[in-house]
Amino acid sequence: MKRIVFASLCFAICTSVHAGRVVRLWPYNKHTDSIEQMIAEGRCVPAVEALKAGLAAKKPEVMLLAGTMYDEGLCVKADWDRAAAFYMRAQDSGQRFALERLIAGYARPGRDNGMALYWVAQFPAHLGLPQECIPVADPLKDPDGFASAIDKMPPATFQSCVYTAGVVAQIFSEASYPTLALEWNVTGKIQMVFDPAANTIDWKADTLNVPDTLPSGLRNGADDMVQNPRAVKNSLVNYMKGKGDFALKRFARPSTWGLDRTFRLKREMTFTIE
């Protein structure tokens, strides 16, 4: 599906992007944490009421959460058009993760996949996709030329680009600090090497800072993970591997591959606590 609907794009783009990503310990946010807790407890009525209040107050983080709720059908009926509108409002407000969630959302099967590349093209260095995935025509200055370039893209190339964008955007759209790493102040840099043609992702720790005093290794029922020193040391890599495995399951690799099979998409994630 290559359809591109430009009429739905009514919000400005104002977020700067970087090749790497710094994941920090962000402070408690009363506007979203309370809503997320209600959702987790199945208290949808108060969750939706709190959501409406946050949106009325034009809280960017609530806009992002609203997009997620409509995207995934959490306490509301799933509605991608509404989700995308909230994501765009969050993007316009400079909310982190909004761009990735737009790309990942549009890359899903049955949606306007061309819009995924529309957003990628506005920040071509962000995800690191092959040049074949980025039309020369500027999507904002020459929308007709961009739409024409997408329409002329070979189907296998288009599908491979959408798949690659979807996987990478999905990974980064939800990455935060894993709980176990936070509890033990584990920091470091994690390297990702994505081989889209092979549908595989390799993860490894480039640098890792682990506290001198780790758990004793004693197993204690429900606290097994906390008591396991190996789990603490591997907490960052294992966390990102889980995100990668989920993304690979959500986006099916096209049966006909349309990009250079030797291409590897490399990214580095820095986990630091400030």
Side-chain angles (χ1 to χ4, degrees), residues 52-173:
K52 291 179 180 178
L55 291 173
K58 299 182 179 180
K59 301 293 184 182
E61 60 273 19
V62 179
M63 297 173 190
L64 184 69
L65 178 58
T68 301
M69 290 172 67
Y70 280 102
D71 193 357
E72 303 295 340
L74 301 174
C75 282
V76 295
K77 183 178 179 180
D79 186 331
W80 170 243
D81 289 336
R82 296 192 70 177
F86 281 121
Y87 284 153
M88 282 186 267
R89 289 175 61 184
Q91 166 72 7
D92 181 52
S93 299
Q95 187 68 23
R96 69 173 188 153
F97 297 156
L99 175 63
E100 290 94 335
R101 293 188 187 186
L102 274 169
I103 295 171
Y106 275 119
R108 296 272 294 276
R111 294 180 177 171
D112 191 349
N113 295 159
M115 286 299 297
L117 298 187
Y118 174 88
W119 285 98
V120 168
Q122 293 181 55
F123 306 91
H126 188 57
L127 296 187
L129 265 62
Q131 192 59 45
E132 301 96 302
C133 300
I134 315 294
V136 175
D138 187 295
L140 296 178
K141 297 179 180 179
D142 185 11
D144 291 337
F146 182 86
S148 177
I150 290 292
D151 189 56
K152 294 177 181 178
M153 192 178 290
T157 300
F158 175 79
Q159 293 165 7
S160 298
C161 289
V162 170
Y163 156 79
T164 303
V167 170
V168 179
Q170 180 66 48
I171 291 171
F172 290 125
S173 71

Side-chain angles (χ1 to χ4, degrees), residues 15 47 58 96 122 126 182 199 220 225 230 252 273:
T15 302
K58 299 182 179 180
R96 69 173 188 153
Q122 293 181 55
H126 188 57
L182 272 180
N199 194 41
N220 184 25
M225 289 296 290
R230 179 176 294 180
I273 300 175

Side-chain angles (χ1 to χ4, degrees), residues 205-269:
D206 183 17
T207 60
L208 197 61
N209 302 306
V210 183
D212 294 333
T213 303
L214 285 176
S216 62
L218 298 177
R219 297 182 180 274
N220 184 25
D223 294 329
D224 178 62
M225 289 296 290
V226 176
Q227 298 293 326
N228 188 336
R230 179 176 294 180
V232 174
K233 291 180 179 178
N234 297 332
S235 55
L236 295 179
V237 169
N238 288 342
Y239 172 80
M240 292 310 306
K241 184 178 184 300
K243 294 296 182 183
D245 290 346
F246 176 81
L248 290 176
K249 290 179 181 178
R250 169 159 282 191
F251 295 94
R253 176 194 177 282
S255 57
T256 302
W257 193 247
L259 296 172
D260 181 359
R261 290 180 176 273
T262 66
F263 171 76
R264 302 291 184 273
L265 197 154
K266 301 178 181 180
R267 279 292 180 266
E268 178 182 89
M269 293 194 69

